[in-house]
């Protein structure tokens, strides 16, 4: 009997028990709640209810109840939100694994259900464990590998989050009373489990490490992941400590354009011939018709500066870069919107790929820091950062900062 994982005697670690499970559970209760909220906020930052091109989950129905117009202040809002979401998610991986390890006997219990209530509890556990693994795995894969889920990451991660969080809330409500009782013994030297529990091995092996030691081990793992991830939100030497984040990418080099590059011009299929001075034009369309501008003509319009970061959904961000270009609201005025800039659809020269176009909301167009940038840090944009012109909007996720802009269509989308 002890050969089968469904028999209690199979699991021998003396560390398992309600105390360890409760401590890990409480850490996850706080951490996963933050992940869920920052995840939903990140989704709202895309302005998915603005236009079909921003909306990766058109069938979300009532799950869109909470969406709001994404603000432009503070200008580091998305940088903070997404840095927190990704860095915390990665940091929690050892805690999640330890938690699953701590309750593993329960996942194998036979018979599968003793009663209807027990059956429901186990089904909810299936969603809980499956949902947790699914969310962590999709999240990590999206950061580490380039497009393992072509076009479907947002859909999977968003719906997965709702299923997982529903099971998580049900689980938390059921377990909090017991967890609180167990945590009262947090101060004990070698916390014991006075109440009988199916988590405690009936025939434990001799201990090789204390429960406290096990917690230090898990915490050490988390600290290591944190220390090798958090640098992605900073510049200079700190960024070099971000060994785990994000996938390869090209070396941006040094100088004014020497900050992180997401997709290179080459990857996006941008041909130098299309961006040359005599070939490229910006096409603006609006209430009063269409206006075509060369880069030289754009550069003769009133130019303004804004210090703004690039902050990617993958969690990395740059510090504020010094962008210079034409205000989006001035471009709106050129096609008939003098003091009431509307939404805009921005399209890139890029022909394929999900990020070749994006819609911006009127409040983003109206912000005086929102630019069609021609220069960064005092120099022309490099090809990889979007030459001849790119969008930069305060507080917006990187994906809305379209590079290699070719067309802007103003009006209600
Ligand atoms: N045309 C186009 N614009 C784009 C992208 C893209 O793939 N194609 N990637 C976006 C994403 S996801 C990010 S994070 C930023 C990155 O800008 P950077 O490469 O200049 O740092 O560009 C955005 N603009
Ligand atoms: Mo991004």
């Amino acid at each position: 009997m002890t050969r089968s994982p469904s028999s209690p005697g199979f699991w021998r670690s003396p560390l398992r028990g309600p105390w360890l499970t409760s401590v890990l559970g409480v850490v996850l209760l706080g951490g996963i709640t933050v992940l869920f909220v920052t995840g939903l906020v990140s989704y709202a930052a895309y302005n998915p209810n603005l236009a079909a091109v921003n909306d990766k989950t058109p069938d979300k129905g009532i799950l869109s109840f909470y969406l709001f117009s994404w603000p432009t202040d503070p200008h580091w809002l998305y940088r903070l939100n997404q840095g927190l979401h990704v860095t915390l998610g990665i940091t929690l991986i050892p805690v999640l694994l330890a938690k699953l390890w701590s309750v593993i006997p329960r996942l194998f219990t036979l018979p599968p259900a003793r009663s209807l209530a027990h059956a429901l509890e186990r089904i909810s556990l299936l969603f809980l464990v499956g949902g947790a693994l699914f969310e962590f795995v999709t999240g990590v894969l999206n950061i580490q590998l380039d497009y393992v889920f072509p076009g479907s990451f947002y859909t999977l991660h968003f719906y997965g989050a709702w299923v997982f969080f529903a099971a998580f809330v049900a689980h938390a409500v059921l377990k909090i009373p017991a967890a609180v009782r167990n945590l009262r013994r947090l101060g004990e030297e070698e916390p014991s489990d006075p109440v009988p529990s199916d988590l405690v091995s009936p025939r434990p092996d001799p201990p090789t490490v204390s429960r406290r030691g096990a917690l230090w081990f898990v915490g050490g793992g988390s600290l290591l992941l944190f220390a090798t991830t958090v640098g992605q939100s900073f510049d200079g030497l700190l960024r070099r400590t971000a060994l785990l984040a994000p996938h390869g990418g090209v070396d941006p080099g040094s100088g004014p354009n020497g900050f992180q590059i997401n997709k290179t011009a080459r990857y996006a299929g941008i041909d130098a011939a299309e961006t040359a001075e005599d070939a490229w034009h910006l096409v603006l369309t609006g209430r009063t018709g269409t206006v075509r501008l060369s880069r030289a003509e754009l550069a003769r319009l009133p130019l303004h500066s804004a210090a703004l970061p690039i902050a990617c959904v993958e969690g990395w961000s740059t510090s504020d870069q010094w962008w210079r270009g034409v205000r989006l609201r001035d471009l709106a005025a050129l096609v008939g919107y003098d003091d009431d800039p509307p939404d805009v659809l921005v399209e890139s020269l890029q022909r394929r790929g999900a990020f070749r176009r994006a819609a911006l909301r009127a409040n983003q167009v109206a912000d005086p820091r929102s630019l069609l940038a021609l220069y960064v840090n005092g120099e022309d944009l490099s090809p990889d950062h979007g030459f001849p012109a790119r969008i930069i909007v305060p507080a917006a996720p990187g994906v809305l900062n379209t590079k290699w802009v070719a067309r802007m269509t103003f009006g209600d989308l």
Side-chain angles (χ1 to χ4, degrees):
M1 270 308 272
T2 53
R3 290 285 164 89
S4 144
S6 65
S7 64
F10 179 88
W11 304 99
R12 307 287 292 271
S13 172
L15 297 176
R16 282 204 187 82
W19 184 82
L20 185 68
T21 296
S22 294
V23 175
L24 296 169
V26 166
V27 174
L28 289 176
L29 176 65
I32 286 177
T33 303
V34 174
L35 288 183
F36 185 66
V37 172
T38 50
L40 291 192
V41 166
S42 172
Y43 184 77
Y46 279 66
N47 279 329
N49 52 354
L50 173 62
V53 295
N54 292 19
D55 193 359
K56 314 291 189 242
T57 57
D59 298 320
K60 62 193 166 300
I62 57 159
L63 296 183
S64 67
F65 74 93
Y66 76 93
L67 293 177
F68 52 96
S69 298
W70 186 249
T72 54
D73 273 301
H75 72 276
W76 38 260
L77 185 59
Y78 193 75
R79 191 178 176 202
L80 175 70
N81 185 83
Q82 207 54 16
L84 192 61
H85 184 75
V86 172
T87 301
L88 180 62
I90 289 178
T91 302
L92 285 178
I93 289 173
V95 185
L96 178 74
L97 294 178
K99 176 74 164 61
L100 290 176
W101 176 86
S102 81
V103 294
I104 214 158
R106 220 168 251 174
L107 304 182
F108 286 94
T109 311
L110 287 177
R114 292 186 303 270
S115 63
L116 184 63
H118 187 225
L120 287 177
E121 192 196 323
R122 292 203 78 186
I123 290 172
S124 85
L125 277 188
L126 206 66
F127 281 109
L128 184 70
V129 173
L133 291 175
F134 183 82
E135 288 303 287
F136 278 80
V137 167
T138 50
V140 169
L141 286 183
N142 188 57
I143 300 163
Q144 293 299 335
L145 307 171
D146 219 15
Y147 302 115
V148 251
F149 319 100
S152 61
F153 166 73
Y154 299 93
T155 327
L156 295 172
H157 206 62
F158 179 75
Y159 290 123
W162 282 103
V163 173
F164 166 54
F165 201 70
F168 181 78
V169 168
H171 183 75
V173 167
L174 287 173
K175 301 293 184 183
I176 280 177
V180 168
R181 278 199 305 278
N182 290 317
L183 286 179
R184 292 231 176 86
R185 301 201 307 282
L186 197 57
E188 290 175 17
E189 193 54 38
E190 185 58 352
S192 56
D193 290 308
V195 216
S197 162
D198 56 338
L199 290 177
V200 176
S201 175
R203 300 192 303 117
D205 283 334
T208 51
V209 58
S210 70
R211 287 184 172 171
R212 272 178 193 286
L215 277 189
W216 279 113
F217 181 70
V218 174
S222 282
L223 198 65
L224 190 67
L225 289 180
F226 177 80
T228 47
T229 303
V230 69
Q232 67 177 335
S233 305
F234 303 92
D235 283 346
L237 283 178
L238 263 175
R239 181 169 304 260
R240 292 208 225 137
T241 64
L243 303 174
L244 292 180
H247 52 78
V250 288
D251 179 3
S254 55
N257 276 277
F259 55 97
Q260 188 150 345
I261 296 161
N262 181 323
K263 297 287 172 287
T264 60
R266 191 194 162 99
Y267 177 98
I270 305 298
D271 191 342
E274 314 172 84
T275 60
E277 185 65 57
D278 50 352
W280 182 84
H281 282 89
L282 174 70
V283 179
L284 301 174
T285 306
R287 193 143 61 187
T288 52
T290 296
V291 172
R292 272 163 64 93
L293 294 163
S294 69
R295 195 168 189 275
E297 288 167 326
L298 274 171
R300 283 196 294 270
L301 295 175
L303 297 183
H304 297 272
S305 299
L308 299 171
I310 298 279
C312 183
V313 66
E314 293 165 356
W316 61 266
S317 56
T318 71
S319 58
D320 293 352
Q321 310 296 323
W322 189 60
W323 308 92
R324 195 160 169 76
V326 184
R327 282 182 173 154
L328 298 188
R329 67 183 194 196
D330 291 349
L331 295 175
L334 290 178
V335 286
Y337 302 92
D338 282 318
D339 35 35
D340 55 338
D343 307 334
V344 64
L345 173 69
V346 180
E347 293 172 275
S348 173
L349 279 175
Q350 189 184 345
R351 279 165 211 86
R352 286 179 308 278
F355 303 155
R356 52 175 291 272
R357 43 193 200 153
L360 299 171
R361 212 185 275 283
N363 68 312
Q364 293 173 314
V365 177
D367 193 293
R369 296 162 298 175
S370 296
L371 303 176
L372 181 70
L374 307 177
Y375 312 98
V376 65
N377 301 322
E379 232 180 50
D380 272 338
L381 291 172
S382 69
D384 288 338
H385 284 303
F387 181 88
R390 80 171 300 164
I391 299 288
I392 186 80
V393 170
V399 67
L400 296 183
N401 296 322
T402 308
K403 303 197 274 191
W404 316 290
V405 172
R407 266 175 307 281
M408 299 176 68
T409 309
F410 291 91
D412 290 330
L413 301 175

